[in-house]
Amino acid sequence: MSGICEGRVVAVTGAGRGLGRAHALAFAAEGARVVVNDLGVGLDGTPDADSPAALVVAEIRAAGGEAVAHGGDIATTPGAASLVATALDAYGRLDTLVNNAGFLRDRMLVNLDEEEWDAVLRVHLKGHFLPLKHAAAHWRAEAKAGRLPVARIVNTSSGAGLLGAVGQGNYSAAKAGVLALTLVAAAELARYGVQVNAVAPAARTRMTERTFADRMAAPGAGFDAMAPENVSPLVVWLGSAAGSGVTGRVFEAEGGRITVMDGWRRGPTSDKAARWTPTEAGETAQALLKQTPTPEPVYGQ
């Protein structure tokens, strides 16, 4: 196979189903050799009977590509370290990391227990940090040895991380954390030849099939706007060498639409150059809010 990722080695977490599977297949179609990570768990993070990673590897190989499976838990240090080691052992290099693994445990805040909070932050936020850390350590060593990499990290956030989502306090917090981690990683790792970006996808997967149930493709329409495969082209481009200079950015991707998200920017401000009284602070805040656009609503509000 040949394409914009020819010769690159790409590790994709949570690649057994949904978006991760679509990304793995798309990278392989563009010439990448792929490490397909999937722990093989259910929607709520409990163990599944059959891990799908091997099935995705078989699909890639059947199409003439190269891939290996990795079944480690990337939210643990051994699992994340072995993900990088698998790429190096199988192919002698790692060029791109796509952090995608995750699951949901949705509850309204008053019903959300500590275990459900911890489990979701663990897989989404810690599951981004640890693979990123171990891949970055490898690339830093390469750079210090005089072999500056052309490395890429693509993180997976969500509209819930950008705007919040009712019933998803744990997921929204984790995905907002992914955005901040992306910005920090892009700033810290640039010197080592690493570009780091994030995508907030909207697609129909096991996690979102109920959310997007009313947006199914019409029979014979020819284009399913909610298919996960629609998100993968942007992820592949961000994971290739082609996007040189693009780092620390966040994109929304849905159907045929790509949007650059603008993030937090300072709006109207007032500086007294002295301490406010509470009444003055309140009056000033109200005046500033009148100059500020109304925020976009939280999903589900």
Side-chain angles (χ1 to χ4, degrees):
M1 293 185 178
S2 61
I4 65 170
C5 290
E6 185 171 5
R8 294 181 72 80
V9 174
V10 179
V12 184
T13 70
R17 302 181 179 93
L19 282 163
R21 172 183 173 274
H23 299 341
L25 294 173
F27 272 108
E30 290 294 330
R33 293 167 287 177
V34 185
V35 179
V36 179
N37 162 266
D38 201 283
L39 187 57
V41 298
L43 181 59
D44 63 354
T46 55
D48 223 349
D50 299 305
S51 173
L55 297 177
V56 176
V57 168
E59 282 189 80
I60 291 172
R61 291 177 177 173
E66 296 183 56
V68 294
H70 176 266
D73 182 353
I74 46 80
T76 67
T77 291
S82 68
L83 176 68
V84 176
T86 297
L88 298 179
D89 291 344
Y91 302 120
R93 61 186 298 130
L94 175 65
D95 301 287
T96 298
L97 168 66
V98 179
N99 285 314
N100 170 77
F103 58 74
L104 297 175
R105 293 192 183 176
D106 292 353
R107 298 282 189 277
M108 301 300 278
L109 286 171
V110 295
N111 297 321
L112 182 63
D113 66 34
E114 186 176 0
E115 188 278 331
E116 290 165 332
W117 174 272
D118 289 345
V120 169
L121 262 71
R122 176 185 181 276
V123 69
H124 287 282
L125 194 50
K126 192 175 181 182
H128 270 65
F129 160 64
L130 285 174
L132 185 157
K133 170 187 169 70
H134 287 278
H138 165 68
W139 290 323
R140 180 182 65 177
E142 288 290 288
K144 288 186 174 182
R147 299 182 295 270
L148 188 69
V150 181
R152 305 287 187 260
I153 297 173
V154 184
N155 291 329
T156 305
S157 185
S158 167
L162 294 162
L163 299 176
V166 171
Q168 292 188 317
N170 48 3
Y171 180 69
S172 297
K175 288 305 193 184
V178 166
L179 297 174
L181 178 64
T182 298
L183 301 182
V184 172
E188 290 186 359
L189 302 180
R191 72 186 73 178
Y192 306 124
V194 185
Q195 293 184 183
V196 189
N197 294 284
V199 173
R204 188 186 307 103
T205 67
R206 287 195 307 166
M207 287 173 53
T208 62
E209 59 188 358
R210 285 180 294 179
T211 303
F212 298 132
D214 61 342
R215 298 171 68 178
M216 299 291 287
F223 177 61
D224 180 358
M226 300 313 298
E229 290 78 8
N230 299 328
V231 177
S232 299
L234 175 61
V235 173
V236 170
W237 183 81
L238 289 170
S240 74
S244 179
V246 179
T247 193
R249 305 307 294 259
V250 178
F251 298 85
E252 276 194 332
E254 174 187 343
R257 177 176 61 84
I258 295 172
T259 304
V260 177
M261 302 306 291
D262 209 11
W264 290 101
R265 289 183 176 272
R266 291 184 176 86
T269 186
S270 180
D271 185 357
K272 182 183 177 182
R275 183 178 300 138
W276 304 93
T277 68
T279 298
E280 289 174 334
E283 291 171 347
T284 302
Q286 292 282 17
L288 294 173
L289 287 170
K290 290 178 181 178
Q291 306 171 46
T292 306
T294 302
E296 295 191 39
V298 171
Y299 285 104
Q301 188 172 14

